[in-house]
Amino acid sequence: MPLLEVNNLSVHFGSRARPVRAVDGISFTVSAGEVVALVGESGSGKSATALSLARLLPEPAARFASGSIKFAGREVLTLSESEMRQLRGGRIAYVFQEPSAALNPVLSIGAQIDEALRERRRAIDRKTELFRLLRAVGLGDTERVARAYPHELSGGMQQRAVIAMALAGKPQLLVADEPTTALDVTVQAQVLNVLLDVQRTEGMGMLFITHNLGIVAGVAQRVLVMYAGQIVEAGSVEDVLQTPRHPYTKALVAAVPRLRGGSARLEGIPGAAPTATNYPTGCRFHPRCAFARERCSREEPMWESVDEQGSGVRCHFWKELS
Ligand code: SF4
């Protein structure tokens, strides 16, 4: 049984008469010990998807219009608020893009991690655990870091501290939403390595959200490509990067030079992604698709599974284009 099972999930904002369909009928799974990447441009619905998993979106402004989210076999959408509090920050933990937003500027790093340990009421020696967590994320000078305030640390060290806080509840699932995007390029790889190290050591499942297909290869085993609120392609990282099926994925791959043997010629994707208030008719990608035909603007393509592991594609002509 997968650790996380999302089935036909739709998340809407605004009025029922004119809903903003931020997430529109998506399905995927994440197993224990597995890293699944969720890739897409800004506004594609990936962050709304991430926040939905622990119901962090403000309800009732955000509504679960359809579907289910099962975590460790339990339906998340019907849990009470007190059950949700236990789940959040405990069994499901988050690391967001901006570490400074996750840290309290007037509390030392040690105090904040200790608070996270206390909240999660684990019967442990908290001081030993605090230092273990700091070492696990590569903050070896544990005494000094524990006494430091967030502004005394670099962005990379702050993000490591945030990862340590996320680990305090021994999560089974870590949701990392663009965790390295706000960091200096040289620090990004270090923080990514820390994240993957702790994911492997702790045996967690991880949903890794990024707009950058280029970093997916070194991070994940499977990838979900999201466009305009829908998953348009899913598969193993190797398959999706080497032989993408959906024209949008093909365009994303073409825009990453090292995935295509260092070709100097980059192909951008023309046009802009639609917003959730005005999805095009038919295939939502058709105004930007180099392979669009008349049928594409008229008829919405359905999801077609290509194996039993969740791989599939949403395009009328993917077989011809493969
Ligand atoms: Fe392009 Fe048509 Fe496929 Fe959409 S259905 S991705 S417009 S070819």
Side-chain angles (χ1 to χ4, degrees):
M1 179 179 64
L3 179 63
L4 175 74
E5 206 169 353
V6 174
N7 193 19
N8 191 32
L9 181 72
S10 295
V11 182
H12 294 177
F13 293 88
S15 70
R16 284 177 196 278
R18 294 185 53 133
V20 175
R21 292 170 292 162
V23 176
D24 206 6
I26 65 168
S27 301
F28 65 94
T29 61
V30 180
S31 295
E34 181 185 41
V35 182
V36 176
L38 180 59
V39 180
E41 292 167 286
S42 302
S44 58
K46 53 193 196 308
S47 287
T49 301
L51 294 170
S52 298
L53 301 178
R55 286 175 46 199
L56 292 174
L57 289 168
E59 298 172 34
R63 287 191 312 282
F64 293 100
S66 74
S68 97
I69 300 171
K70 282 201 173 134
F71 180 76
R74 283 185 86 191
E75 177 57 62
V76 170
L77 297 185
T78 55
L79 293 181
S80 67
E81 195 41 49
S82 70
E83 290 170 320
M84 282 310 305
R85 271 198 297 277
Q86 284 177 5
L87 198 70
R88 291 178 195 131
R91 298 173 77 197
I92 301 180
Y94 283 78
V95 176
F96 293 106
Q97 184 177 126
E98 194 48 75
S100 56
L103 293 168
N104 184 335
V106 299
L107 281 182
S108 69
I109 296 296
Q112 296 187 55
I113 297 175
D114 186 60
E115 198 172 289
L117 288 168
R118 222 176 325 134
E119 259 176 35
R120 286 141 209 182
R121 293 190 198 94
R122 290 175 50 202
I124 43 167
D125 174 345
R126 295 207 311 270
K127 195 162 183 193
T128 306
E129 182 66 356
L130 162 65
F131 291 149
R132 185 191 77 79
L133 289 172
L134 289 175
R135 279 193 301 275
V137 296
L139 293 170
D141 192 355
T142 50
E143 296 274 0
R144 186 184 74 79
V145 173
R147 277 196 310 271
Y149 288 86
H151 73 272
E152 296 175 304
L153 303 181
S154 66
M157 290 173 84
Q158 287 182 9
Q159 193 62 308
R160 287 167 191 251
V162 170
I163 296 168
M165 276 169 65
L167 295 179
K170 271 215 161 289
Q172 292 170 283
L173 177 71
L174 188 64
V175 182
D177 190 351
E178 305 265 12
T180 60
T181 307
L183 303 175
D184 203 280
V185 164
T186 51
V187 181
Q188 287 188 1
Q190 295 165 10
V191 172
L192 212 48
N193 285 338
V194 164
L195 206 51
L196 291 173
D197 270 357
V198 293
Q199 179 271 328
R200 278 186 217 114
T201 314
E202 311 275 326
M204 294 178 295
M206 179 155 81
L207 184 66
F208 186 90
I209 292 153
T210 178
H211 65 278
N212 184 351
L213 197 60
I215 64 171
V216 165
V219 173
Q221 289 90 54
R222 283 192 301 122
V223 58
L224 316 166
V225 181
M226 202 160 179
Y227 187 83
Q230 298 174 322
I231 292 174
V232 295
E233 178 159 5
S236 72
V237 166
E238 202 183 4
D239 281 356
V240 171
L241 297 187
Q242 298 301 322
T243 50
R245 294 184 171 98
H246 193 282
Y248 177 60
T249 322
K250 288 178 194 287
L252 286 179
V253 170
V256 182
R258 67 184 179 81
L259 296 175
R260 281 288 177 235
S263 155
R265 193 169 145 266
L266 287 190
E267 294 169 30
I269 306 176
T275 60
T277 49
N278 68 338
Y279 292 140
T281 57
C283 172
R284 293 176 188 182
F285 187 55
H286 85 259
R288 304 173 77 190
C289 181
F291 307 96
R293 303 178 201 174
E294 189 275 328
R295 181 182 171 197
C296 301
S297 59
R298 165 167 69 70
E299 190 184 321
E300 183 166 6
M302 293 293 111
W303 178 257
E304 284 186 53
S305 293
V306 298
D307 65 23
E308 300 293 310
Q309 284 75 52
S311 305
V313 60
R314 190 185 277 274
C315 169
H316 293 307
F317 303 111
W318 70 272
K319 283 185 187 144
E320 288 173 43
L321 298 174
S322 293

